[in-house]
Amino acid sequence: MKIIVNGEEKEFNRELTISELVKELGIKVPNFAVAVGMDVIPKSEYDTYKLKEGDRVEIVHFVGGG
């Protein structure tokens, strides 16, 4: 399955949920948001939202400062 993650094409050998994708990518920051297409996905759906072939995924993390 091919999906675009933050503008880069990635290939996976199986269908993934958002939680599985984040784990596969090694993202460990506590605060991040995920959008698929133009839709921001609620954290409550990360374990159940299944990504599809060709999805465009944007993952952003929050940086504090002041």
Side-chain angles (χ1 to χ4, degrees):
M1 173 175 90
K2 291 181 184 178
I3 58 175
I4 308 297
V5 180
N6 292 350
E8 186 177 324
E9 186 176 286
K10 304 270 188 186
E11 190 164 350
F12 300 94
N13 59 2
R14 62 185 174 90
E15 188 177 74
L16 299 172
T17 64
I18 291 174
S19 291
E20 291 168 333
L21 173 65
V22 167
K23 187 175 180 179
E24 287 273 332
L25 296 175
I27 296 172
K28 297 191 186 332
V29 294
N31 299 314
F32 60 91
V34 178
V36 178
M38 298 298 288
D39 299 319
V40 175
I41 308 302
K43 277 193 182 219
S44 61
E45 295 181 23
Y46 286 6
D47 289 337
T48 57
Y49 190 102
K50 295 199 184 270
L51 297 165
K52 296 179 248 5
E53 178 80 25
D55 273 347
R56 291 186 156 289
V57 179
E58 293 294 325
I59 301 173
V60 295
H61 62 90
F62 304 103
V63 178

